Amino acid sequence: MKLDDQTFRLTDAGKLGMIALVIGVIGLVASGIGFTMDKTQFFHSYLVAFVFWTTIGLGGLFFTLIHHLLHPIWSVVVRRIFESIMVTLPLMVIFFLPIAFMGGLSELYHWSHADAVAHDALLQEKVGYLNVPFFLIRAFAYFAIWAVLAFLLYRLSLKQDDKHHPELTGRMMAISAPGMVLFALSITFASFDWLMSLDPHWYSTIFGVYVFSGALVSVLALIILVSLSLRKTGKLKEIITVEHYHDLGKLMFAFLVFWAYMAYSQYFLIWYGNIPEETVWFAHRWPGSWKMISLGLVLGHFVIPFVLLMPRKSKRTLPFLGVMAFWMLIFHWVDMYWLVLPNLHHETVHLSWMDASTLFGIGGIFIWWFWRTLAAHPVIPIDDPKLDESIRFVNH
Amino acid sequence: MSERVAGVIAQFEDPAALLKAAERVRDEGYKKFDCHSPFPIHGMDQAMGERRSPLGWIVGGIAVIATLAGAGMQWWTNGVDYQFVISGKPFVSYQAYLPVTFAVAVLTSAFVSTFGMMALNGLPRWHHPLFESEQFKKVTDDGFLVSIEATDRKFNVEQTSAFLELIGGTNVEVITCD
Amino acid sequence: MDAVTAEKTHVDAPLIQGNPTFHDVSEKISSLIEGKTPPLWFIAIGLSSSIVLLLLGSVGYLLWEGLGIWGLQNPNGWGWAIVNFVFWVGIGHAGTLISAILFLLRQKWRTSINRFAEAMTLFAVICAGLFPAIHVGRIWLIYWIFPYPTQYLSMWPNFRSPLLWDAFAVGTYFTVSCLFWYVGLIPDLATLRDRATTKIRKVLFGIFALGWRGGNKQWKHYELAYLLLAGLSTPLVLSVHSIVSTDFAVSIIPGWHTTIFPPYFVAGAIFSGFAMVMTLGIITRKIFGLEDYITIRHLENMNKIMLLTGMMVGYAYGCEFFIAWYSGNEFERFAFINRAFGPYWWAYWSMISCNVLVPQLFWFKKLRRSIPVMFVASIFINIGMWFERFVIVITSLSRDFLPSSWDYYRPTIFDVTTFIGTFGLFLTLFLLFVRFLPVIAMAEVKGVLPQADPHHHDTH
């Protein structure tokens, strides 16, 4: 097989990119109209969409880092895909701007109101951390970390395509090791800031790991879907084989169990301790139809995919795996929705069209950008020293 | 003398030779044969035309039963038969049943995996005609052997021995038992 | 770091050095069992079994006299026994992690260390299980924890109690680890059976090898069974220490009740387990001349895992501290200030230095590959992880919600002798293992030699 630059370029990339861009623009315009109609609803829906796509981007960054640290063989063939997902992170800073500067903070975060803090002894205790300037400084620090890591690692990866650079593997590893530390800290505090502080009285030490575990499941789901769609166009049919899908499926399975482990740890310890200041968070996710969402999350994000993905065959039947990947993406969104919206609609679930418009708005731009990155260069790292081994890889 | 032929064995040089031999034996139409090696050789199942082991489904099925039994035990003992209040928890606290349910399910599955494997392999079986052969002892060290059982429909002492020699086997030995 | 050498050593260094043949592997590993017993072994086991006598004495006196001989008091209802229990269970995590998780991740380097790491797991869990058993006071009634129908009691155990989950989790873990270990041993026992020259070896290895014939029709089921056991052990190993963590975390005591406890305990367990594997591995390797089998590459990989898990533990310490402040809860804040600057500040800072600072050495390739450095570091980590459990158990208990009941916990001599005694038990079992069973999984090592790949010659 010829592994050169031209064989693995997407030729008809423009079309899908354009579709995504159009959907994105329509979604954003519609959301803009929503913004003028109901700011509160808009920002809550927007935050869900924002964290949904950002966590997927962070999942891409995590897989890139872990790839350089562990040098697994099987993942070489899908490396360009998660690298391109990672490259969406610098874009997400633009989508953060409305939250930061267009009134998002005061709509979303109770602690940002000075008069609320004045009457709340607990919030006064936390004011050293939960205040607007520090919140913004932190947010931009997270984005700076992510953007720098994404640019550095992506640039080196492209450089590897030009000609054989054996030293790059070592250099990418040298960046990834401290990168992983920064990643762990930034995703933890980003989840505390953006999601946990929506209910500023509530706290849970596992919260950052919980958000991280959801990011892992969703990025694997997206990698599977992208690989399958490339396969449809005839690209990579012999490169990303059923063996690789089997592994991706196994990993998605492992991480959805990991997610369930985190979710259960959080719920179970709070349920058992039964201290009102902690249980209040789950109590907010129980009234009316919120109960259905809470239980639906248990079933949809864990029980059902756990049972369905268990047999070997289901991970090797590609259309089925694709359906399951799509399913996991849906439930990642439900998860994010479940984290955010109970702070707005206390009584019961109240779906809004803006939930969809913001999701597709940010998502369209995300996919367009991702696809453009993927298409600009060969879709597999053609000079990775382990590529050949990776293609021939089989599950034992 | 009630001694009868149990089968024929032959040695091969390395894993690759054994793999090729397996394909030849399979293509020749033998069914009751086996390829012995000190460690599992990848691709051997295909070379021999073996199907995947059904053990996964057996364990999976029993794991479901064990899960239900584990949960049921806790529900019945603490929720129905002997109710008492502890730390203000409901009698049926399904949240708290998870750890033990999980332990019961894993424990049962591990037993089924181990003993299921032994049953499928016909183990323990301390006496076997192959153990009569001195060269068979090499299997657990560095030997790669093919054995064809006399009960195979195509088996014929001379022809089978000649066939093993033809495909590259050395030290062809007829195994007998009484 | 020199990237080119890094590349070379990470990717190309052979798993087993010295290019042994399949026969060399059987010869080398089996000779450790078949050869003459080294005099050093007799000295070692003499020493360790006399420490077991110390354990027997301490436990015997405890049973005779009662729990009062320990340093327990109000409000410190849990003392060294629980610290030691968590310490030993934690050490028992590396073996199954290496066997199961690294197997699923296809990390082939595990084959050189999995056998003795698994053995270590079993022995550590035995030491761990001893403590809660003798802590119940009336050990002769310990079977009451099992849900068995009886007219005489006409009641059932409390399944809502974390202490009962512990019994189930640790019991399951021990049993499954035994099965996993034994299944892994079967092909090697067959090797020893076929090599046996004495009658007694022939019979004993023959019985336990079950009549293994190494046919592919057997390997097929065997490999799937091994995979299934690995698949079962992986969530199990994560669940065991999670459940141990619930002993603390389901309570409402500040410093104990925090949601990150389950994964944090698991990371700590892996961390301490690897440290113990490292300590014993370096000694075993030296004494038996296994340098070609347990190479610097293996040790370096383990150091990387220790660095990673050490960082995770550090993350959890930091996260707890931050959230304690962030909670705005007076009790939470106090619990953590008290840990770092209260009467047990020395324990806290020992823990931080050993568990967070020491592994930072492993960022440097040179130190990661230096045997004296890693040996000393692994011992420090073992100590640090003991202190971690001490900090958790004692600092939160000794200063609870009611300042009038605060008290300073001091262990008695019997706490100390019991703990030291378990080291004797652990070492005795380990020495028996290295003398009578193969310390390295021969069949698995043969399987990762380059010539084991049937396509080996095609690519060269």
Side-chain angles (χ1 to χ4, degrees), chain A residues 125 205 247 261 272 278, chain C residues 106 160 242 257-258 315 333:
Chain A
E125 291 288 323
T205 37
D247 255 24
Y261 170 46
Y272 206 110
E278 291 179 351
Chain C
R106 289 189 286 267
R160 287 159 290 179
S242 300
H257 180 66
T258 177
Y315 170 91
R333 285 184 177 185

Side-chain angles (χ1 to χ4, degrees), chain B:
Chain B
M1 274 292 278
S2 60
E3 198 164 82
R4 60 180 177 82
V5 173
V8 181
I9 60 174
Q11 271 201 48
F12 290 83
E13 205 188 337
D14 55 23
L18 190 68
L19 203 63
K20 286 206 186 81
E23 286 166 358
R24 295 290 300 272
V25 178
R26 174 198 68 194
D27 293 343
E28 192 70 14
Y30 288 101
K31 293 275 180 281
K32 293 187 174 172
F33 72 104
D34 209 345
C35 299
H36 305 263
S37 54
F39 49 84
I41 295 172
H42 298 306
M44 187 55 92
D45 287 350
Q46 271 169 316
M48 287 176 64
E50 285 281 309
R51 281 200 273 167
R52 274 188 73 81
S53 170
L55 190 58
W57 290 103
I58 300 171
V59 173
I62 294 183
V64 173
I65 298 169
T67 309
L68 296 175
M73 168 186 75
Q74 296 173 75
W75 166 79
W76 187 75
T77 54
N78 276 189
V80 179
D81 189 46
Y82 180 63
Q83 297 183 328
F84 58 104
V85 177
I86 195 110
S87 70
K89 300 280 177 287
F91 296 130
V92 180
S93 299
Y94 57 90
Q95 295 95 333
Y97 293 168
L98 205 87
V100 172
T101 309
F102 176 77
V104 170
V106 169
L107 186 64
T108 317
S109 307
F111 273 115
V112 177
S113 301
T114 308
F115 293 104
M117 180 273 286
M118 284 165 60
L120 289 169
N121 278 341
L123 298 176
R125 178 175 178 181
W126 286 286
H127 195 269
H128 193 277
L130 285 171
F131 292 142
E132 301 296 320
S133 159
E134 226 6 77
Q135 67 160 329
F136 189 75
K137 290 189 170 161
K138 273 176 76 73
V139 160
T140 56
D141 179 15
D142 61 351
F144 300 91
L145 279 85
V146 169
S147 69
I148 301 181
E149 287 177 37
T151 47
D152 193 285
R153 268 211 262 163
K154 274 202 63 139
F155 187 84
N156 172 299
V157 180
E158 288 79 31
Q159 280 173 12
T160 304
S161 305
F163 170 72
L164 282 174
E165 203 135 346
L166 175 79
I167 61 172
T170 52
N171 288 350
V172 178
E173 184 184 345
V174 178
I175 305 286
T176 56
C177 64
D178 26 54

Side-chain angles (χ1 to χ4, degrees), chain A residues 71 74 122 125-130 166-167 169-171 173-174 177-178 181 184-185 188-189 192 196-197 199-209 247 250 261-262 265-266 268-270 272-273 275 277-278 385-386 392-393 395-396, chain C residues 1 3-4 6-7 10-11 104-108 158 160-162 165 223 227 235 238-239 242 245-246 249-252 257-264 266 304 308 311 315 319-320 322-329 332-333 363 368 459:
Chain A
H71 306 293
W74 65 271
L122 263 179
E125 291 288 323
K126 304 182 186 198
V127 84
Y129 185 80
L130 292 182
E167 81 282 0
T169 310
R171 200 182 308 161
M173 187 171 179
V181 178
L185 291 176
T188 303
F189 283 98
F192 288 168
M196 199 168 87
S197 82
D199 186 345
H201 288 177
W202 187 75
Y203 52 91
S204 167
T205 37
I206 209 174
F207 195 81
V209 191
D247 255 24
K250 278 195 264 188
Y261 170 46
M262 294 304 147
S265 297
Q266 177 163 285
F268 181 53
L269 296 179
I270 288 174
Y272 206 110
I275 303 172
E277 62 197 64
E278 291 179 351
K386 286 194 175 173
R392 286 188 289 110
F393 157 83
N395 275 285
H396 300 309
Chain C
M1 186 182 6
V4 180
E7 163 91 16
H10 289 300
V11 183
L104 296 181
L105 293 175
R106 289 189 286 267
Q107 299 288 310
K108 286 182 176 171
N158 174 22
R160 287 159 290 179
S161 158
W165 309 334
E223 280 197 287
L227 179 70
L238 300 181
S239 80
S242 300
S245 83
T246 62
V250 297
S251 71
I252 51 169
H257 180 66
T258 177
T259 49
I260 206 169
F261 252 38
Y264 153 46
V266 172
K304 285 184 185 168
L308 174 74
M311 300 291 281
Y315 170 91
C319 217
E320 277 187 323
F322 172 74
I323 292 290
W325 175 82
Y326 176 89
S327 71
N329 181 325
E332 286 285 333
R333 285 184 177 185
W363 282 105
R368 212 158 57 207
T459 48

Side-chain angles (χ1 to χ4, degrees), chain C residues 107-130:
Chain C
Q107 299 288 310
K108 286 182 176 171
W109 56 274
R110 68 182 261 292
T111 55
S112 295
I113 49 171
N114 69 339
R115 173 65 47 72
F116 81 83
E118 283 167 43
M120 206 192 75
T121 287
L122 297 177
F123 309 147
V125 175
I126 291 172
C127 293
L130 179 73

Side-chain angles (χ1 to χ4, degrees), chain C residues 98-169:
Chain C
I98 291 170
S99 324
I101 299 184
L102 297 185
F103 177 74
L104 296 181
L105 293 175
R106 289 189 286 267
Q107 299 288 310
K108 286 182 176 171
W109 56 274
R110 68 182 261 292
T111 55
S112 295
I113 49 171
N114 69 339
R115 173 65 47 72
F116 81 83
E118 283 167 43
M120 206 192 75
T121 287
L122 297 177
F123 309 147
V125 175
I126 291 172
C127 293
L130 179 73
F131 285 103
I134 57 179
H135 204 304
V136 297
R138 280 172 279 183
I139 194 173
W140 50 93
L141 294 178
I142 194 145
Y143 60 93
W144 283 8
I145 60 172
F146 296 112
Y148 67 102
T150 156
Q151 282 192 314
Y152 155 69
L153 276 174
S154 74
M155 58 185 181
W156 296 105
N158 174 22
F159 285 105
R160 287 159 290 179
S161 158
L163 302 180
L164 189 73
W165 309 334
D166 254 2
F168 272 81

